[in-house]
């Protein structure tokens, strides 16, 4: 079943030809140029270091230049909007050739979350990952590599995704009573949602591991009867879903291994931080909650209802988001763990 589930991977072909890779890089840059020349405030690109994913997500002091920095990992939208707002100081938007020349000179550095504070630096454009249409074909830029979609990959991905999400045993649930998502960022939404009954907040609460740095186990927790829902929240159903899936995967490894091995040291250190944002939850209560039937949930907001009809109408076009959700679902099933997705209506 596992082999069959991932058979569509055979229809992705890595690009190794330098000339084609340069052309694809320029196609990606044109997308960034179009964004900076517009008034858009939401990019579909994922933004992450191609090799040090965990270190990037939980690192610090992200800097392109003086007055162009962030203390926490920025999104693609954060970076592009800040560059746009800086006028001509960093990028030349008068035409694409000048934009390309100026953009390729930019790099981003950040430090890992450890005592050594080791610094990582790479060309800025390499942090952008996502989908590109070029010469009538679709390509993915993931983890620093280019892939061409060949054969019937997209058709098979769509079919598999629809069956996994909307089928008889679909992973889309409506068990969690989410509030409506208004004009809020993810952090503001999480704080508002955590005020509701039977919810707890885990956003910006980190488990500190010496080998992996800081890890956020979940954004929200919802408890209902014998189940506990450990929820990672994302604004939108785009390439940034990849980050959320990665965080869910890491969180599940930590929580499940700790419970199976009966080694609670890491979770006890996490509880010490968790209780600061969730007063009234004792350590005994915390561990009793975690021993309920654990459901790992990816929750995301969109204005359109997340229905099979809207999916068929191509209102959710991110292939990377579908790819990541499908892959994580199969992985959890292989490890006999519960993974589900939930939609939050955005007003």
């Amino acid at each position: 079943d596992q082999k069959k589930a991932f058979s569509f991977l055979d229809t992705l072909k890595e690009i190794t030809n330098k000339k084609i890779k340069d052309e694809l890089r320029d196609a990606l840059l044109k997308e960034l140029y179009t964004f900076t020349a517009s008034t858009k405030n939401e990019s579909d690109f994922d933004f992450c270091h191609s090799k040090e994913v965990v270190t990037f997500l939980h690192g610090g002091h992200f800097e392109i230049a003086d007055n162009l920095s962030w203390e926490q990992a920025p999104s693609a939208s954060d970076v592009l909007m800040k560059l746009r707002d800086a006028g001509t100081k960093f990028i030349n938007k008068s035409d694409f050739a000048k934009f390309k020349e100026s953009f390729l000179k930019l790099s981003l550095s950040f430090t890992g979350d450890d005592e050594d504070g080791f610094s990582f630096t790479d060309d800025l454009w390499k942090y952008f990952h996502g989908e590109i249409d070029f010469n009538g074909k679709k390509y993915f830029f993931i983890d620093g590599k280019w892939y061409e979609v060949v054969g019937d990959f997209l058709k098979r991905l769509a079919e598999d995704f629809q069956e996994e999400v909307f089928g008889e045993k679909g992973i889309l649930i409506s068990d969690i009573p989410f509030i409506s998502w208004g004009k809020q960022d993810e952090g503001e939404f999480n704080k508002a949602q955590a005020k509701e009954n039977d919810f707890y907040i885990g956003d910006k609460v980190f488990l500190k591991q010496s080998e992996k740095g800081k890890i956020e186990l979940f954004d929200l927790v919802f408890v209902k009867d014998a189940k506990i829902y450990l929820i990672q929240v994302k604004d939108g159903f785009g390439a940034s879903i990849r980050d959320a899936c990665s965080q869910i995967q890491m969180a599940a490894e930590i929580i499940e291994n700790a419970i199976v091995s009966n080694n609670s040291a890491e979770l006890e250190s996490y509880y010490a931080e968790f209780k600061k944002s969730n007063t009234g939850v004792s350590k005994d209560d915390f561990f009793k909650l975690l021993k309920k039937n654990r459901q790992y949930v990816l929750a995301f907001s969109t204005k359109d209802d997340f229905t099979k009809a809207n999916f068929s109408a191509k209102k959710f076009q991110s292939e990377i988001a579908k790819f990541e959700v499908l892959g994580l679902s199969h992985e959890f099933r292989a490890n006999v763990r519960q993974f589900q997705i939930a939609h939050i209506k955005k007003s």
Side-chain angles (χ1 to χ4, degrees), residues 224-338:
K224 183 179 181 181
D225 301 326
K227 291 183 179 180
I228 179 173
Y229 298 84
L230 306 167
I231 309 164
Q232 190 68 230
V233 176
K234 272 295 171 188
D235 184 6
F237 190 73
S240 62
I241 289 294
R242 175 173 169 265
D243 284 347
C245 287
S246 191
Q247 288 180 293
I248 291 171
Q249 181 186 47
M250 287 187 291
E253 283 297 313
I254 292 166
I255 294 170
E256 298 303 316
N257 288 342
I259 291 173
V260 169
S261 66
N262 202 27
N263 182 353
S264 62
E266 281 192 328
L267 292 181
E268 285 184 9
S269 71
Y270 175 80
Y271 169 73
E273 300 300 316
F274 177 84
K275 68 179 182 179
K276 295 176 184 178
S277 302
N278 298 273
T279 55
V281 180
S282 70
K283 185 160 65 171
D284 284 346
D285 289 340
F286 176 72
F287 280 95
K288 283 179 183 176
L289 289 176
L290 285 183
K291 288 180 180 177
K292 286 178 177 283
N293 185 343
R294 293 175 297 284
Q295 314 287 313
Y296 294 88
V297 180
L298 166 64
F300 54 89
S301 68
T302 63
K303 290 184 178 179
D304 290 311
D305 291 331
F306 200 77
T307 62
K308 187 173 182 179
N310 280 342
F311 182 85
S312 299
K314 301 188 183 302
K315 292 191 176 182
F316 306 99
Q317 298 199 31
S318 175
E319 311 300 349
I320 285 182
K322 299 168 198 169
F323 180 88
E324 293 293 338
V325 167
L326 192 58
L328 189 60
S329 182
H330 286 308
E331 181 180 325
F332 267 58
R333 187 175 297 119
N335 288 312
V336 198
R337 294 172 183 169
Q338 302 297 316

Side-chain angles (χ1 to χ4, degrees), residues 17-33:
N17 181 282
K18 185 180 183 305
K19 180 175 180 294
I20 297 175
K21 288 198 292 185
D22 286 346
E23 290 175 343
L24 290 171
R25 177 205 62 197
D26 289 354
L28 187 155
L29 288 172
K30 282 182 181 176
E31 294 285 336
L32 305 184
Y33 170 66

Side-chain angles (χ1 to χ4, degrees), residues 45-49 56-57 62 64 73-77 79 108 124-129 239-240 242-243:
F45 282 104
D46 183 17
F47 192 80
C48 194
H49 192 275
F56 175 88
L57 290 174
F62 297 81
I64 296 174
S75 67
S77 301
V79 173
L108 175 73
L124 181 61
W125 77 268
K126 292 180 180 178
Y127 286 83
F128 292 88
H129 295 81
S240 62
R242 175 173 169 265
D243 284 347

Side-chain angles (χ1 to χ4, degrees), residues 126-182:
K126 292 180 180 178
Y127 286 83
F128 292 88
H129 295 81
E131 305 159 25
I132 294 293
D133 291 309
F134 180 68
N135 285 346
K137 296 180 180 179
K138 186 178 284 287
Y139 297 85
F140 290 163
F141 187 55
I142 307 174
D143 296 337
K145 295 181 179 180
W146 285 103
Y147 297 92
E148 178 188 350
V149 175
V150 295
D152 59 353
F153 171 83
L154 295 179
K155 178 175 179 290
R156 291 163 70 182
L157 177 62
E159 290 173 351
D160 287 354
F161 184 85
Q162 286 193 65
E163 179 61 28
E164 191 76 9
V165 173
F166 305 111
E168 186 179 344
K169 297 181 179 179
I171 60 174
L172 179 65
I173 61 170
S174 56
D175 307 27
I176 306 171
F178 286 112
I179 61 174
S180 179
W181 190 311

